[in-house]
PDB file of all heavy atoms in Angstrom:
ATOM      1  N   SER A  19      33.393 -28.738  42.333  1.00  0.00           N
ATOM      2  CA  SER A  19      31.987 -28.537  42.685  1.00  0.00           C
ATOM      3  C   SER A  19      31.795 -27.280  43.529  1.00  0.00           C
ATOM      4  O   SER A  19      30.725 -26.677  43.519  1.00  0.00           O
ATOM      5  CB  SER A  19      31.450 -29.759  43.435  1.00  0.00           C
ATOM      6  OG  SER A  19      32.167 -29.962  44.648  1.00  0.00           O
ATOM      7  N   GLN A  20      32.826 -26.870  44.264  1.00  0.00           N
ATOM      8  CA  GLN A  20      32.701 -25.665  45.088  1.00  0.00           C
ATOM      9  C   GLN A  20      32.623 -24.400  44.243  1.00  0.00           C
ATOM     10  O   GLN A  20      32.222 -23.341  44.719  1.00  0.00           O
ATOM     11  CB  GLN A  20      33.880 -25.555  46.049  1.00  0.00           C
ATOM     12  CG  GLN A  20      33.937 -26.661  47.085  1.00  0.00           C
ATOM     13  CD  GLN A  20      35.013 -26.396  48.117  1.00  0.00           C
ATOM     14  OE1 GLN A  20      35.237 -25.269  48.523  1.00  0.00           O
ATOM     15  NE2 GLN A  20      35.690 -27.442  48.537  1.00  0.00           N
ATOM     16  N   LEU A  21      33.007 -24.508  42.980  1.00  0.00           N
ATOM     17  CA  LEU A  21      33.020 -23.333  42.115  1.00  0.00           C
ATOM     18  C   LEU A  21      31.835 -23.287  41.162  1.00  0.00           C
ATOM     19  O   LEU A  21      31.785 -22.453  40.276  1.00  0.00           O
ATOM     20  CB  LEU A  21      34.329 -23.293  41.318  1.00  0.00           C
ATOM     21  CG  LEU A  21      35.602 -23.210  42.149  1.00  0.00           C
ATOM     22  CD1 LEU A  21      36.815 -23.107  41.253  1.00  0.00           C
ATOM     23  CD2 LEU A  21      35.559 -22.031  43.106  1.00  0.00           C
ATOM     24  N   GLY A  22      30.882 -24.206  41.312  1.00  0.00           N
ATOM     25  CA  GLY A  22      29.662 -24.042  40.543  1.00  0.00           C
ATOM     26  C   GLY A  22      29.195 -25.218  39.732  1.00  0.00           C
ATOM     27  O   GLY A  22      28.430 -25.048  38.786  1.00  0.00           O
ATOM     28  N   THR A  23      29.633 -26.433  40.016  1.00  0.00           N
ATOM     29  CA  THR A  23      29.134 -27.604  39.308  1.00  0.00           C
ATOM     30  C   THR A  23      28.648 -28.626  40.318  1.00  0.00           C
ATOM     31  O   THR A  23      28.933 -28.547  41.503  1.00  0.00           O
ATOM     32  CB  THR A  23      30.230 -28.246  38.436  1.00  0.00           C
ATOM     33  OG1 THR A  23      31.345 -28.600  39.258  1.00  0.00           O
ATOM     34  CG2 THR A  23      30.695 -27.300  37.349  1.00  0.00           C
ATOM     35  N   SER A  24      27.937 -29.630  39.804  1.00  0.00           N
ATOM     36  CA  SER A  24      27.358 -30.628  40.698  1.00  0.00           C
ATOM     37  C   SER A  24      28.355 -31.687  41.123  1.00  0.00           C
ATOM     38  O   SER A  24      28.062 -32.487  42.000  1.00  0.00           O
ATOM     39  CB  SER A  24      26.159 -31.302  40.015  1.00  0.00           C
ATOM     40  OG  SER A  24      26.564 -31.899  38.794  1.00  0.00           O
ATOM     41  N   GLU A  25      29.525 -31.735  40.491  1.00  0.00           N
ATOM     42  CA  GLU A  25      30.527 -32.720  40.870  1.00  0.00           C
ATOM     43  C   GLU A  25      31.919 -32.190  40.570  1.00  0.00           C
ATOM     44  O   GLU A  25      32.084 -31.201  39.848  1.00  0.00           O
ATOM     45  CB  GLU A  25      30.307 -34.040  40.126  1.00  0.00           C
ATOM     46  CG  GLU A  25      30.408 -33.933  38.609  1.00  0.00           C
ATOM     47  CD  GLU A  25      30.199 -35.277  37.931  1.00  0.00           C
ATOM     48  OE1 GLU A  25      29.059 -35.764  37.908  1.00  0.00           O
ATOM     49  OE2 GLU A  25      31.195 -35.823  37.431  1.00  0.00           O
ATOM     50  N   SER A  26      32.928 -32.858  41.139  1.00  0.00           N
ATOM     51  CA  SER A  26      34.319 -32.498  40.902  1.00  0.00           C
ATOM     52  C   SER A  26      34.995 -33.591  40.102  1.00  0.00           C
ATOM     53  O   SER A  26      34.563 -34.746  40.101  1.00  0.00           O
ATOM     54  CB  SER A  26      35.053 -32.311  42.237  1.00  0.00           C
ATOM     55  OG  SER A  26      34.474 -31.284  43.000  1.00  0.00           O
ATOM     56  N   GLY A  27      36.085 -33.242  39.441  1.00  0.00           N
ATOM     57  CA  GLY A  27      36.803 -34.239  38.673  1.00  0.00           C
ATOM     58  C   GLY A  27      37.952 -33.625  37.910  1.00  0.00           C
ATOM     59  O   GLY A  27      38.372 -32.496  38.169  1.00  0.00           O
ATOM     60  N   LEU A  28      38.466 -34.377  36.942  1.00  0.00           N
ATOM     61  CA  LEU A  28      39.682 -34.003  36.229  1.00  0.00           C
ATOM     62  C   LEU A  28      39.491 -34.231  34.735  1.00  0.00           C
ATOM     63  O   LEU A  28      39.001 -35.280  34.315  1.00  0.00           O
ATOM     64  CB  LEU A  28      40.851 -34.845  36.738  1.00  0.00           C
ATOM     65  CG  LEU A  28      42.236 -34.586  36.156  1.00  0.00           C
ATOM     66  CD1 LEU A  28      42.758 -33.215  36.597  1.00  0.00           C
ATOM     67  CD2 LEU A  28      43.222 -35.678  36.595  1.00  0.00           C
ATOM     68  N   PHE A  29      39.870 -33.244  33.928  1.00  0.00           N
ATOM     69  CA  PHE A  29      39.902 -33.381  32.478  1.00  0.00           C
ATOM     70  C   PHE A  29      41.340 -33.617  32.027  1.00  0.00           C
ATOM     71  O   PHE A  29      42.276 -33.032  32.588  1.00  0.00           O
ATOM     72  CB  PHE A  29      39.375 -32.124  31.796  1.00  0.00           C
ATOM     73  CG  PHE A  29      37.883 -31.968  31.819  1.00  0.00           C
ATOM     74  CD1 PHE A  29      37.281 -31.133  32.745  1.00  0.00           C
ATOM     75  CD2 PHE A  29      37.088 -32.655  30.911  1.00  0.00           C
ATOM     76  CE1 PHE A  29      35.907 -30.972  32.763  1.00  0.00           C
ATOM     77  CE2 PHE A  29      35.709 -32.505  30.926  1.00  0.00           C
ATOM     78  CZ  PHE A  29      35.115 -31.670  31.850  1.00  0.00           C
ATOM     79  N   VAL A  30      41.517 -34.424  30.981  1.00  0.00           N
ATOM     80  CA  VAL A  30      42.825 -34.610  30.370  1.00  0.00           C
ATOM     81  C   VAL A  30      42.666 -34.516  28.854  1.00  0.00           C
ATOM     82  O   VAL A  30      41.670 -34.996  28.291  1.00  0.00           O
ATOM     83  CB  VAL A  30      43.464 -35.973  30.758  1.00  0.00           C
ATOM     84  CG1 VAL A  30      42.597 -37.140  30.312  1.00  0.00           C
ATOM     85  CG2 VAL A  30      44.867 -36.101  30.168  1.00  0.00           C
ATOM     86  N   GLY A  31      43.623 -33.856  28.202  1.00  0.00           N
ATOM     87  CA  GLY A  31      43.620 -33.743  26.755  1.00  0.00           C
ATOM     88  C   GLY A  31      44.704 -34.622  26.156  1.00  0.00           C
ATOM     89  O   GLY A  31      45.858 -34.596  26.603  1.00  0.00           O
ATOM     90  N   THR A  32      44.345 -35.416  25.157  1.00  0.00           N
ATOM     91  CA  THR A  32      45.306 -36.312  24.507  1.00  0.00           C
ATOM     92  C   THR A  32      45.464 -35.874  23.045  1.00  0.00           C
ATOM     93  O   THR A  32      45.714 -34.718  22.771  1.00  0.00           O
ATOM     94  CB  THR A  32      44.834 -37.777  24.609  1.00  0.00           C
ATOM     95  OG1 THR A  32      43.568 -37.926  23.954  1.00  0.00           O
ATOM     96  CG2 THR A  32      44.680 -38.178  26.064  1.00  0.00           C
ATOM     97  N   ILE A  33      45.342 -36.790  22.111  1.00  0.00           N
ATOM     98  CA  ILE A  33      45.337 -36.476  20.679  1.00  0.00           C
ATOM     99  C   ILE A  33      43.918 -36.686  20.168  1.00  0.00           C
ATOM    100  O   ILE A  33      43.406 -37.801  20.162  1.00  0.00           O
ATOM    101  CB  ILE A  33      46.329 -37.364  19.906  1.00  0.00           C
ATOM    102  CG1 ILE A  33      47.767 -37.067  20.351  1.00  0.00           C
ATOM    103  CG2 ILE A  33      46.201 -37.109  18.395  1.00  0.00           C
ATOM    104  CD1 ILE A  33      48.807 -37.955  19.687  1.00  0.00           C
ATOM    105  N   GLY A  34      43.266 -35.616  19.783  1.00  0.00           N
ATOM    106  CA  GLY A  34      41.936 -35.698  19.219  1.00  0.00           C
ATOM    107  C   GLY A  34      40.830 -35.965  20.215  1.00  0.00           C
ATOM    108  O   GLY A  34      39.681 -36.140  19.805  1.00  0.00           O
ATOM    109  N   SER A  35      41.133 -35.980  21.512  1.00  0.00           N
ATOM    110  CA  SER A  35      40.097 -36.309  22.495  1.00  0.00           C
ATOM    111  C   SER A  35      40.372 -35.623  23.826  1.00  0.00           C
ATOM    112  O   SER A  35      41.528 -35.395  24.203  1.00  0.00           O
ATOM    113  CB  SER A  35      40.017 -37.822  22.732  1.00  0.00           C
ATOM    114  OG  SER A  35      39.650 -38.508  21.564  1.00  0.00           O
ATOM    115  N   VAL A  36      39.282 -35.322  24.524  1.00  0.00           N
ATOM    116  CA  VAL A  36      39.319 -34.894  25.918  1.00  0.00           C
ATOM    117  C   VAL A  36      38.576 -35.946  26.722  1.00  0.00           C
ATOM    118  O   VAL A  36      37.513 -36.417  26.305  1.00  0.00           O
ATOM    119  CB  VAL A  36      38.676 -33.513  26.112  1.00  0.00           C
ATOM    120  CG1 VAL A  36      38.525 -33.180  27.592  1.00  0.00           C
ATOM    121  CG2 VAL A  36      39.495 -32.437  25.413  1.00  0.00           C
ATOM    122  N   TYR A  37      39.139 -36.342  27.877  1.00  0.00           N
ATOM    123  CA  TYR A  37      38.511 -37.338  28.740  1.00  0.00           C
ATOM    124  C   TYR A  37      38.270 -36.719  30.109  1.00  0.00           C
ATOM    125  O   TYR A  37      39.013 -35.830  30.552  1.00  0.00           O
ATOM    126  CB  TYR A  37      39.392 -38.580  28.880  1.00  0.00           C
ATOM    127  CG  TYR A  37      39.535 -39.366  27.597  1.00  0.00           C
ATOM    128  CD1 TYR A  37      40.518 -39.039  26.660  1.00  0.00           C
ATOM    129  CD2 TYR A  37      38.687 -40.440  27.314  1.00  0.00           C
ATOM    130  CE1 TYR A  37      40.653 -39.750  25.478  1.00  0.00           C
ATOM    131  CE2 TYR A  37      38.814 -41.161  26.131  1.00  0.00           C
ATOM    132  CZ  TYR A  37      39.791 -40.806  25.222  1.00  0.00           C
ATOM    133  OH  TYR A  37      39.907 -41.514  24.050  1.00  0.00           O
ATOM    134  N   TYR A  38      37.252 -37.234  30.784  1.00  0.00           N
ATOM    135  CA  TYR A  38      36.866 -36.721  32.100  1.00  0.00           C
ATOM    136  C   TYR A  38      36.816 -37.867  33.104  1.00  0.00           C
ATOM    137  O   TYR A  38      36.262 -38.931  32.820  1.00  0.00           O
ATOM    138  CB  TYR A  38      35.511 -36.036  32.036  1.00  0.00           C
ATOM    139  CG  TYR A  38      34.976 -35.650  33.395  1.00  0.00           C
ATOM    140  CD1 TYR A  38      35.604 -34.666  34.161  1.00  0.00           C
ATOM    141  CD2 TYR A  38      33.858 -36.278  33.927  1.00  0.00           C
ATOM    142  CE1 TYR A  38      35.128 -34.320  35.410  1.00  0.00           C
ATOM    143  CE2 TYR A  38      33.369 -35.927  35.174  1.00  0.00           C
ATOM    144  CZ  TYR A  38      34.015 -34.953  35.914  1.00  0.00           C
ATOM    145  OH  TYR A  38      33.553 -34.624  37.154  1.00  0.00           O
ATOM    146  N   LEU A  39      37.419 -37.628  34.283  1.00  0.00           N
ATOM    147  CA  LEU A  39      37.415 -38.607  35.376  1.00  0.00           C
ATOM    148  C   LEU A  39      36.685 -38.002  36.564  1.00  0.00           C
ATOM    149  O   LEU A  39      37.211 -37.100  37.230  1.00  0.00           O
ATOM    150  CB  LEU A  39      38.846 -38.975  35.779  1.00  0.00           C
ATOM    151  CG  LEU A  39      38.982 -40.008  36.914  1.00  0.00           C
ATOM    152  CD1 LEU A  39      38.548 -41.394  36.443  1.00  0.00           C
ATOM    153  CD2 LEU A  39      40.428 -40.052  37.428  1.00  0.00           C
ATOM    154  N   PRO A  40      35.463 -38.465  36.880  1.00  0.00           N
ATOM    155  CA  PRO A  40      34.780 -37.956  38.076  1.00  0.00           C
ATOM    156  C   PRO A  40      35.573 -38.287  39.340  1.00  0.00           C
ATOM    157  O   PRO A  40      36.249 -39.326  39.406  1.00  0.00           O
ATOM    158  CB  PRO A  40      33.440 -38.703  38.058  1.00  0.00           C
ATOM    159  CG  PRO A  40      33.284 -39.182  36.655  1.00  0.00           C
ATOM    160  CD  PRO A  40      34.666 -39.464  36.164  1.00  0.00           C
ATOM    161  N   GLU A  41      35.505 -37.412  40.323  1.00  0.00           N
ATOM    162  CA  GLU A  41      36.222 -37.637  41.576  1.00  0.00           C
ATOM    163  C   GLU A  41      35.772 -38.954  42.209  1.00  0.00           C
ATOM    164  O   GLU A  41      34.576 -39.236  42.309  1.00  0.00           O
ATOM    165  CB  GLU A  41      35.971 -36.483  42.544  1.00  0.00           C
ATOM    166  CG  GLU A  41      36.778 -36.569  43.821  1.00  0.00           C
ATOM    167  CD  GLU A  41      36.604 -35.352  44.705  1.00  0.00           C
ATOM    168  OE1 GLU A  41      35.776 -34.490  44.383  1.00  0.00           O
ATOM    169  OE2 GLU A  41      37.299 -35.256  45.730  1.00  0.00           O
ATOM    170  N   GLY A  42      36.739 -39.776  42.611  1.00  0.00           N
ATOM    171  CA  GLY A  42      36.450 -41.052  43.234  1.00  0.00           C
ATOM    172  C   GLY A  42      36.153 -42.170  42.256  1.00  0.00           C
ATOM    173  O   GLY A  42      35.888 -43.305  42.674  1.00  0.00           O
TER     174      GLY A  42
END
């Protein structure tokens, strides 16, 4: 979020999909 978005979190790439985990 400090670099220009409204929230922080983590992306992970698997097979055929990307998933997002919001911080907390």
Side-chain angles (χ1 to χ4, degrees):
S19 61
Q20 295 188 38
L21 299 183
T23 58
S24 58
E25 61 179 72
S26 299
L28 182 68
F29 284 100
V30 60
T32 61
I33 295 177
S35 297
V36 171
Y37 293 86
Y38 172 67
L39 181 70
E41 185 175 6

